[in-house]
């Protein structure tokens, strides 16, 4: 939302978020280009497009408003399958023409959708799903943290441990106990990082997205 506000104040134009993927040709949702849009969300379904938010472990179980779940999409823009890849097609397309997007979203009471995370990046700890972006958002509010990536590392007891790789703010030193205490005040107990590791920088894509997979690989090799 802050980026939207800055862009619009400088240009006088609108910055309108949307959502799609190659398999949906590519657009499925978008924010209205007007006063009803909600910066930070990806908007509502395009005409003739249906969506559902479901349990990623049981796509037949539809979830309620504000419950994080996997986004399913159905519409005329959804592809018919992968070329010569029947197994991938079977995993991605469900009966009735629904495609599994692999993205975790929440939908509010007005039908606006906000992307939370990718299913592949969810951390499973003690039987609970943890969205890395939620933990990252909480930790970024700490004054000694300039940037952070949260990943799951193997645990002997709980599947995965929540681990935070942090880039410290200039002049700050790592106080792991203080950071974990700060997180505990803002997150449910199972979402609090078991470890906090200081790193010089975080690997990012060409568009500036933190590559959590590479962060995980570097910590596993450490």
């Amino acid at each position: 939302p802050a980026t939207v506000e800055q862009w619009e104040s400088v240009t006088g134009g609108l910055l309108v978020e949307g959502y799609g993927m190659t398999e949906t040709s590519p657009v499925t949702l978008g924010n209205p280009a007007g006063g009803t849009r909600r910066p930070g969300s990806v908007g509502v379904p395009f005409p003739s497009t249906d969506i559902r938010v479901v349990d990623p472990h049981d796509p037949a179980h539809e979830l309620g408003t504000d419950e994080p779940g996997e986004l399913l999409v159905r519409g005329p823009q959804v592809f018919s399958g992968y070329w010569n890849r029947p197994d991938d097609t079977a995993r991605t397309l469900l009966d009735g023409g629904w495609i599994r997007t692999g993205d975790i979203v929440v939908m509010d009471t007005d039908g606006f959708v906000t992307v939370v995370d990718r299913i592949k990046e969810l951390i499973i700890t003690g039987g609970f799903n943890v969205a890395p972006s939620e933990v990252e958002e909480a930790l970024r509010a700490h004054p000694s943290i300039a940037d952070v990536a949260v990943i799951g590392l193997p645990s002997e007891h709980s599947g995965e441990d929540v681990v935070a790789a942090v880039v410290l703010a200039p002049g700050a030193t790592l106080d792991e106990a203080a950071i974990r205490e700060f997180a505990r005040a803002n997150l449910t107990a199972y979402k609090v990082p078991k470890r906090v590791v200081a790193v010089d920088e975080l690997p990012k894509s060409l568009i500036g997205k933190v590559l959590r997979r590479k962060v995980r690989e570097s910590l596993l090799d450490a």
Side-chain angles (χ1 to χ4, degrees), residues 5-220:
E5 182 179 349
Q6 182 181 18
W7 169 270
E8 295 182 354
S9 67
V10 170
T11 67
L14 295 178
L15 183 61
V16 180
E17 302 98 322
Y19 171 89
M21 53 197 297
T22 303
E23 291 88 342
T24 59
S25 308
V27 70
T28 57
L29 299 99
N31 247 316
T36 58
R37 74 191 193 286
R38 298 190 182 176
S41 81
V42 291
V44 295
F46 272 66
S48 301
T49 302
D50 300 319
I51 64 171
R52 296 167 57 207
V53 181
V54 302
D55 183 340
H57 305 297
D58 180 11
H61 178 210
E62 192 160 351
L63 302 177
T65 57
D66 297 320
E67 289 187 88
E70 183 180 4
L71 176 66
L72 303 187
V73 175
R74 180 175 65 182
Q77 71 277 58
V78 173
F79 81 150
S80 59
Y82 295 106
W83 178 255
N84 289 333
R85 290 161 56 189
D87 292 342
D88 289 338
T89 298
R91 281 191 291 268
T92 304
L93 287 178
L94 303 177
D95 291 342
W98 294 96
I99 183 174
R100 301 189 66 167
T101 66
D103 284 312
I104 299 296
V105 305
V106 293
M107 181 168 61
D108 68 17
T109 53
D110 294 323
F112 280 76
V113 172
T114 300
V115 178
V116 177
D117 255 307
R118 290 286 295 166
I119 286 180
K120 291 179 180 179
E121 294 183 337
L122 284 179
I123 301 166
I124 303 175
T125 180
F128 295 100
N129 290 335
V130 177
S133 59
E134 180 184 1
V135 183
E136 290 167 353
E137 182 178 0
L139 292 180
R140 282 196 185 97
H142 193 283
S144 68
I145 294 177
D147 203 358
V148 57
V150 171
I151 50 97
L153 291 181
S155 168
E156 294 181 1
H157 308 291
S158 57
E160 294 179 300
D161 285 337
V162 179
V163 178
V166 302
V167 177
L168 296 172
T173 56
L174 178 64
D175 186 338
E176 185 174 359
I179 291 174
R180 295 185 70 248
E181 188 62 30
F182 179 85
R184 195 172 289 111
N186 295 280
L187 295 167
T188 307
Y190 64 84
K191 299 177 182 179
V192 175
K194 296 288 186 184
R195 293 170 50 204
V196 180
V197 181
V199 296
D200 293 331
E201 61 181 357
L202 295 172
K204 295 184 178 181
S205 68
L206 292 175
I207 61 172
K209 181 180 179 181
V210 172
L211 301 173
R212 295 191 185 116
R213 176 180 56 81
K214 289 193 174 182
V215 174
R216 187 176 189 273
E217 289 172 356
S218 65
L219 293 184
L220 284 172

